[in-house]
């Protein structure tokens, strides 16, 4: 069997572009926010780190090859087992229901009765300047030293390739902090690989993990 671009496990450096503006519809004006990150694809999910991590590359297969998975690959409980990562509870990966298991649509609730509000103006009094308190700045969350800073779920995401560039859209992202996680939906990632060959490999591997290809 000849080798190919598609990997079950894959890792390497990719340049992560700035988020841009207007929800990612307009790219970043300057490259200041572009940063290289070490990406680690674990089939269904992809972690990214500030520092290089050891290993984690499986054999590459042709795109149309049916791969024989060992028991470790089939065990999804190992996806979030990373050395040094605290015991953080991640949201479960979605199970796709069959058409017969889809829930029925709920009935529409009855509309509440509407009454016109009172038009009387409240009395206004200006507070004294001495009683005003400036809000304190929120404390920046601490990341895990040497650990992952985020996780991207492949299922539900869409992947597009243009040369060395990859665009991941509609992602379910989890930002990972020392004592907490922050979940975000509909996140877009603009990535650039070092070579077009590497971009093809990442594109095929992410699609293998559940991302939807966009031509």
């Amino acid at each position: 069997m000849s080798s190919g671009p598609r990997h079950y496990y894959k890792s390497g450096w990719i340049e992560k572009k700035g988020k841009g503006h207007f929800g990612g519809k307009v790219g970043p004006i300057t490259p200041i926010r572009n940063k290289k990150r070490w990406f680690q694809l674990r089939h269904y999910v992809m972690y990214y780190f500030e520092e290089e991590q050891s290993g984690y590359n499986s054999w590459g297969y042709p795109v149309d090859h049916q791969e024989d998975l060992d028991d470790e690959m089939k065990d999804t409980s190992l996806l979030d087992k990373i050395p040094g990562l605290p015991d953080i509870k991640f949201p479960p990966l979605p199970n796709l229901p069959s058409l017969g298991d889809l829930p029925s649509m709920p009935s529409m609730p009855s509309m509440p009765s509407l009454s016109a509000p009172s038009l009387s103006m409240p009395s206004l009094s200006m507070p004294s300047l001495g009683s005003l308190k400036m809000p304190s700045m929120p404390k920046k969350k601490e990341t895990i030293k040497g650990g992952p800073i985020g996780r991207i779920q492949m299922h539900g995401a869409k992947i597009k390739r243009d040369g060395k560039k990859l665009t991941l859209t509609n992602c379910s992202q989890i930002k990972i902090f020392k004592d907490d996680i922050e979940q975000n939906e509909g996140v877009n990632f603009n990535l650039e690989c070092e070579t077009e060959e590497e971009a093809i490999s990442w594109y095929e591997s992410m699609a293998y993990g559940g991302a939807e290809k966009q031509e």
Side-chain angles (χ1 to χ4, degrees), residues 154-174:
M154 292 296 98
H155 171 72
K158 297 179 180 180
I159 179 70
K160 184 177 182 180
R161 186 186 70 83
D162 182 11
K164 298 189 297 182
K165 296 180 180 180
L166 298 169
T167 305
L168 264 172
T169 57
N170 196 43
C171 298
S172 177
Q173 174 211 36
I174 294 177

Side-chain angles (χ1 to χ4, degrees), residues 46-92:
M46 184 166 64
Y47 285 94
Y48 51 99
F49 305 74
E50 289 183 337
E51 301 174 7
E52 183 174 344
Q53 306 296 304
S54 60
Y56 233 85
N57 284 283
S58 62
W59 181 259
Y61 287 99
V63 176
D64 58 355
H65 174 71
Q66 187 65 38
E67 186 174 357
D68 293 326
L69 305 180
D70 57 33
D71 292 338
E72 185 176 298
M73 288 179 169
K74 295 176 184 177
D75 188 357
T76 56
S77 67
L78 299 177
L79 291 175
D80 300 317
K81 301 298 183 186
I82 297 178
L85 186 68
D87 187 17
I88 298 176
K89 180 86 172 165
F90 289 99

Side-chain angles (χ1 to χ4, degrees), residues 106-114:
S107 57
M108 293 295 291
S110 58
M111 293 295 291
S113 59
L114 301 177

Side-chain angles (χ1 to χ4, degrees), residues 2 14 21 27 31-32 38 45 55 68 72 75 93 120 130 138 151 158 160 197 203 207:
S2 62
I14 306 178
H21 311 279
I32 295 176
W38 183 266
V45 296
D68 293 326
E72 185 176 298
D75 188 357
L93 293 172
S120 59
R151 187 186 84 160
K158 297 179 180 180
K160 184 177 182 180
E197 183 181 9
Y203 173 76

